[in-house]
Amino acid sequence: MKNKLGLYIHVPFCAAKCAYCDFYSLGDRLEQRDAYVHRLLADLQRQALQCRQYVVDTIYFGGGTPSLLGGKRIAHILDAIRSQYPIAPDVEITVEANPDSMTEEFLTTSHAAGVNRLSMGIQSAHDDELKAIGRIHTFSQAQAAFAAARKAGFENISVDLMYALPGQTMDRLEQSIDALLALQPEHLSCYGLTLEQHTPLGRKNPRLPDEDTQADMYLMLCQRMDDAGFLHYEISNFAKQGFHSRHNSRYWEQSSYLGFGPGAHGDFAGIRYEIPRDFTAWLAGIAKPQGEDNEAIDRAAEYIMLSLRTAHGFDAQYFEQTFSQDSKPVAQALAALPEQYIRQTDSRWHLTDAGFLISNAIIVAALDAMETAK
């Protein structure tokens, strides 16, 4: 049986860079999309020789704004992948898309090419909030784009929602939740706004809701998703039964994936790497991946951190079998937490919604307990 493998393809193009965005993206290179595809296909071909013992079961186009490639370019990339990599019959193929670039050509052609999941960057149902964070679409555009995606045949659509936006109140956040749920998506990714100092919004430093309000927003959001029948399967992600993101889950499960494109990350054959965030160097074929091998990565500590972000949680039995380390110090640190933050199911410890809210502190305590016991 072949090992499973994910492919992540970073598409750096944007129509306009959002004011809060810290991802590697470029708002002025759309004329180089064909050159990007040409370079990408060469990288895919070069890497394919090392993947004959794997089967690709997830492909994810992230960005940037991958929908700006258009359907024909995405179809061309997928054709190349299928010709060179073993592909699982039930492969999940996701493309991130913004409402303003979800054209009929993109939707119909990419769907016909096998794209079976869309991740839509909507963020808010209020146009003034969208404008405040530098989004260039309106909510009515998002509604129309979602309807067009359904018409094109997409049955697995995720939408992004941001909270703790400048000036946002609980009532306005609830209105956005109501509006997004009314679209009837299969998945929601919900993130609190973080101000990065080197971004335009970070430099502007607007007033955000205070920490207590942000906490209340998160817990309200979790409750609303639960009431709507969504599983809270990772700190920031909610899905209807059977619609969790299989590709993103492989990151939290420490599963193998290859990254392509400037700014992409990968974790393959014991090497974790990042491709430099330099489009010009990457296009010229001189952007050499920077990596570290398993000896430099504490996979056990990483498992603790990642597992406690998920509904499955920290599995003491799995930890001992996989990493040959005693799980008791970590389990004892978790057992010392109040019940409002942690639950135990057999050998697993998993955080509650309130626990997710303070997960950073809990993870630090668990890691400290492991280090102290060494």
Side-chain angles (χ1 to χ4, degrees):
M1 183 176 180
K2 292 185 176 181
N3 294 319
K4 294 181 179 179
L5 178 67
L7 303 183
Y8 173 77
I9 298 169
H10 191 77
V11 182
F13 306 110
C14 278
K17 194 170 177 69
C18 297
Y20 59 87
C21 181
D22 189 40
F23 293 107
Y24 182 62
S25 60
L26 306 166
D28 59 352
R29 298 291 186 93
L30 289 179
E31 73 282 358
Q32 293 184 287
R33 285 175 291 182
D34 289 331
Y36 164 86
V37 172
H38 181 76
R39 173 77 257 167
L40 176 67
L41 295 184
D43 287 350
L44 285 164
Q45 183 177 29
R46 173 183 51 78
Q47 189 67 57
L49 295 176
Q50 302 179 44
C51 300
R52 291 174 177 170
Q53 300 306 312
Y54 292 82
V55 59
V56 173
D57 67 334
T58 66
I59 302 170
Y60 194 102
F61 291 79
T65 309
S67 48
L68 282 171
L69 285 180
K72 290 183 179 179
R73 293 186 185 91
I74 289 172
H76 188 35
I77 294 167
L78 290 175
D79 285 344
I81 291 172
R82 289 192 181 94
S83 70
Q84 298 169 68
Y85 292 78
I87 304 295
D90 63 343
V91 60
E92 175 193 85
I93 305 177
T94 303
V95 175
E96 291 182 353
N98 282 345
D100 50 282
S101 57
M102 290 172 60
T103 65
E104 181 179 359
E105 186 275 336
F106 161 72
L107 291 170
T108 57
T109 305
S110 63
H111 185 265
V115 176
N116 51 26
R117 185 175 184 271
L118 292 179
S119 179
M120 289 183 61
I122 297 180
Q123 316 307 355
S124 171
H126 298 286
D127 290 349
D128 59 332
E129 291 180 350
L130 292 170
K131 185 177 181 180
I133 60 175
R135 303 293 291 185
I136 61 174
H137 70 270
T138 63
F139 185 62
S140 62
Q141 282 181 299
Q143 290 172 305
F146 191 98
R150 288 292 197 220
K151 184 179 179 181
F154 286 96
E155 299 177 349
N156 187 356
I157 305 177
S158 175
V159 298
D160 288 354
L161 171 68
M162 296 185 74
Y163 65 93
L165 301 180
Q168 190 178 51
T169 64
M170 290 285 287
D171 286 344
R172 283 170 68 82
L173 175 58
E174 279 212 84
Q175 291 166 12
S176 283
I177 294 170
D178 288 339
L180 291 187
L181 288 176
L183 297 175
Q184 298 186 325
E186 285 70 38
H187 185 283
L188 280 91
S189 293
C190 307
Y191 304 101
L193 175 63
T194 300
L195 294 178
E196 303 291 347
Q197 291 186 350
H198 57 278
T199 63
L201 196 63
R203 290 190 291 270
K204 189 176 179 181
N205 196 29
R207 177 175 292 183
L208 305 183
D210 60 39
E211 289 186 3
D212 288 342
T213 301
Q214 291 190 34
D216 290 340
M217 286 178 165
Y218 179 78
L219 293 175
M220 179 271 288
L221 177 61
C222 293
Q223 186 60 57
R224 289 298 308 276
M225 293 299 101
D226 183 63
D227 292 344
F230 286 78
L231 172 66
H232 190 184
Y233 72 99
E234 193 269 344
I235 285 180
S236 301
N237 288 278
F238 305 81
K240 291 286 191 179
Q241 186 67 40
F243 287 97
H244 70 284
S245 171
R246 286 164 47 199
H247 184 85
N248 286 342
S249 292
R250 73 186 326 124
Y251 302 148
W252 310 317
E253 295 167 359
Q254 299 177 300
S255 182
S256 296
Y257 65 100
L258 288 168
F260 298 91
H265 293 252
D267 193 345
F268 179 73
I271 303 293
R272 175 171 297 145
Y273 63 90
E274 176 183 6
I275 299 172
R277 294 160 63 117
D278 186 333
F279 182 77
T280 301
W282 176 81
L283 203 58
I286 58 175
K288 302 302 181 184
Q290 308 297 315
E292 54 184 358
D293 59 27
N294 272 335
E295 293 184 2
I297 304 171
D298 190 340
R299 297 280 185 178
E302 187 177 74
Y303 169 76
I304 294 170
M305 177 185 69
L306 294 173
S307 66
L308 288 173
R309 289 181 55 93
T310 70
H312 184 79
F314 173 80
D315 189 325
Q317 184 176 352
Y318 173 87
F319 181 80
E320 293 189 353
Q321 292 174 345
T322 304
F323 304 106
S324 301
Q325 294 190 32
D326 186 3
S327 66
K328 289 180 181 177
V330 177
Q332 288 172 352
L334 297 176
L337 295 168
E339 288 188 1
Q340 72 184 99
Y341 299 128
I342 196 83
R343 297 282 189 272
Q344 182 181 9
T345 304
D346 299 324
S347 67
R348 291 191 299 110
W349 297 88
H350 44 101
L351 301 185
T352 64
D353 289 341
F356 280 147
L357 190 60
I358 60 168
S359 59
N360 287 344
I362 292 173
I363 290 167
V364 168
L367 292 174
D368 285 347
M370 184 183 72
E371 286 299 316
T372 301
K374 285 184 178 180

